[in-house]
Amino acid sequence: MSKVFSIAVFPGDGIGEEVTPVALKLIEQACQMNNTQCEFSVLEAGAAHYQKTGVALPETSLQAAHAADAVLLACMGMPSIRYPDGREIAPQLELREELDLFAGVRPVKTVPNLPLPLADERGRKLDFVLIRESTEGLFASRNRFVMEGESGAEVAKDTQVITRKGSERLFHFAFQTARRRKLLGYPGEVTCVDKANVLGSFYFFRQVFDEVAREYPDIKASHIYVDAAALQLVRQPWIFDVMVTENMFGDILSDLGAGLMGGMGMAPSADIGHSLAVFQPCHGSAPDIMGQGKANPTAMFLSAAMMLDWLGEKHEHAGMVNAAKQINQAVLAAYQSNQLLPIEFGGKDGLEQISDKIFRSLETQ
Ligand code: ATP
């Protein structure tokens, strides 16, 4: 009997409730086509749950996530619902910390026939991966920021934390990613994005990067300051293969990457640890479009494909790897057909139309 993969599912808030059911259906269809099976447990967490119960991430949901083979999460948070100190409810950050998911993987790859902000007349394609450290950096002081001064409210301080352990495991992950991509014909280069010219913590980050790089002589290692990286991501993003950076810089640059893909509804992501991983589209709960059928589920579908691929690789399960490949091909083919233009690109296609076309495309893979 083939393994049944257990998936902890967090629909979360806003458009998460809309893109999750279609994504589960797509996974079921792809699994069926490959004689494999996923079993879903749909779990509570998020801003709406906090509003109802006073708890953002219930212990039972956290335990279920721990016990699952993988976690699929849509989006969490709602600007109108906040903790008493003003921060937004973001249990996805707690999950990352609790499950020790240190590598945030943000593939930036365009699909055909969409009006994109950058067009290269020589036909060079955007196809790189941004890897974001997800457990420390500037976000480490998220729950520990300090207010100082005579009145107690003169100076606010957040402290950046970069550790050797956190950086080493991140850089090994980045070099291994570049190695796997090199086998598929990519250049085999990792670029460390930092601000080593100004901050000591980033000088340390870069030193650890150089040490780890020596263990991968087959992969080219390079550095870029984050400001220069922002410039190049707009001028000539095709020069990058694998980029690796600190948590906060990664947060910002991954939205830039999603922008290069044309919209938040197109950008998938994964947060990966040594044994568990959470797969989640880059977008938030998008309260401005929730409940209107306007959400683009493509990012959620591509995140689901990343999940199946990760499960397939981890468990050496060819059916899962193929299911992932077929979802990716189905998305590409649906856009290639030139009959799909999501509302976020100024088109007419909302959740239902995009899902239908991608489902039909999957049937022919
Ligand atoms: P966060 O603050 O967590 O990043 P958000 O919901 O405020 O979340 P984003 O998710 O970054 O912001 O989205 C910005 C805008 O992009 C949304 O307001 C929405 O109009 C659009 N958007 C986001 N996701 C989608 C989607 N899946 N389909 C269509 N439009 C989207």
Side-chain angles (χ1 to χ4, degrees):
M1 169 80 181
S2 172
K3 176 173 169 61
V4 177
F5 293 90
S6 62
I7 313 294
V9 181
F10 289 93
D13 297 303
I15 61 169
E17 299 276 4
E18 298 163 58
V19 297
T20 302
V22 279
L24 300 190
K25 224 173 107 190
L26 191 80
I27 293 171
E28 267 170 356
Q29 189 174 322
C31 284
Q32 249 170 34
M33 288 164 66
N34 289 281
N35 281 327
T36 172
Q37 210 183 330
C38 285
E39 194 176 73
F40 305 115
S41 349
V42 178
L43 305 169
E44 302 263 29
H49 190 74
Y50 173 80
Q51 197 173 41
K52 248 190 325 197
T53 64
V55 178
L57 179 61
E59 190 55 32
T60 46
S61 297
L62 182 59
Q63 290 314 324
H66 262 294
D69 288 314
V71 179
L72 183 67
L73 190 154
C75 42
M76 291 180 188
M78 205 38 83
S80 55
I81 307 173
R82 290 172 187 261
Y83 291 116
D85 66 4
R87 284 173 305 130
E88 269 198 49
I89 315 295
Q92 65 276 30
L93 302 184
E94 279 159 59
L95 252 188
R96 266 178 222 161
E97 282 158 18
E98 286 285 343
L99 304 179
D100 204 19
L101 310 176
F102 59 89
V105 181
R106 313 283 183 264
V108 180
K109 187 174 177 175
T110 49
V111 300
N113 294 331
L114 290 179
L116 297 176
L118 282 187
D120 180 54
E121 52 298 340
R122 280 192 269 161
R124 283 172 297 195
K125 296 229 165 46
L126 262 171
D127 193 349
F128 65 91
V129 179
L130 176 72
I131 297 173
R132 159 193 180 181
E133 204 293 322
S134 300
T135 57
E136 47 186 48
L138 195 54
F139 280 25
S141 52
R142 195 166 58 85
N143 297 319
R144 294 192 285 272
F145 90 102
V146 178
M147 292 297 295
E148 290 175 355
E150 273 177 26
S151 70
E154 300 297 323
V155 181
K157 288 185 184 168
D158 289 309
T159 307
Q160 163 142 301
V161 178
I162 304 278
T163 67
R164 171 170 290 280
K165 180 179 162 233
S167 304
E168 278 177 352
R169 64 184 183 178
L170 174 79
F171 295 140
H172 280 294
F173 185 91
F175 280 99
Q176 282 156 17
T177 302
R179 225 176 226 175
R180 271 200 308 278
R181 281 168 65 87
K182 198 173 175 186
L183 293 176
L184 301 171
Y186 290 92
E189 177 169 359
V190 181
T191 307
C192 177
V193 182
D194 59 44
K195 195 68 187 166
N197 51 339
V198 176
L199 296 174
S201 56
F202 278 120
Y203 184 68
F204 174 65
F205 190 67
R206 184 181 281 213
Q207 276 182 320
V208 178
F209 174 79
D210 289 343
E211 284 168 29
V212 173
R214 279 182 222 118
E215 296 181 42
Y216 299 86
D218 52 320
I219 301 298
K220 191 173 169 219
S222 56
H223 314 110
I224 192 167
Y225 297 133
V226 66
D227 43 341
L231 176 83
Q232 295 298 11
L233 281 170
V234 175
R235 284 188 68 208
Q236 42 174 356
W238 34 84
I239 63 172
F240 296 112
D241 180 7
V242 175
M243 302 174 86
V244 64
T245 192
E246 175 271 337
N247 205 343
M248 170 96 151
F249 286 172
D251 184 44
I252 298 165
L253 294 182
S254 56
D255 264 29
L256 204 166
L260 293 173
M261 293 169 79
M264 296 306 289
M266 300 303 297
S269 85
D271 287 298
I272 298 184
H274 284 304
S275 55
L276 249 187
V278 173
F279 298 82
Q280 179 191 4
C282 285
H283 62 74
S285 56
D288 55 331
I289 57 163
M290 67 190 248
Q292 300 165 41
K294 290 181 180 170
N296 178 359
T298 308
M300 185 69 172
F301 292 170
L302 293 173
S303 305
M306 285 177 82
M307 179 179 79
L308 301 189
D309 187 58
W310 179 81
L311 282 169
E313 289 280 337
K314 185 173 176 217
H315 296 271
E316 296 180 356
H317 195 295
M320 274 309 203
V321 173
N322 202 48
K325 198 166 138 201
Q326 287 176 322
I327 293 180
N328 284 324
Q329 282 168 346
V331 169
L332 262 188
Y335 282 95
Q336 221 141 25
S337 71
N338 220 352
Q339 289 168 354
L340 201 48
L341 192 59
I343 293 169
E344 65 174 336
F345 287 87
K348 289 197 170 59
D349 295 314
L351 180 89
E352 207 180 305
Q353 293 81 359
I354 300 171
S355 306
D356 280 354
K357 283 178 187 156
I358 294 175
F359 275 103
R360 264 187 273 132
S361 172
L362 182 61
E363 279 164 16
T364 63
Q365 298 305 314

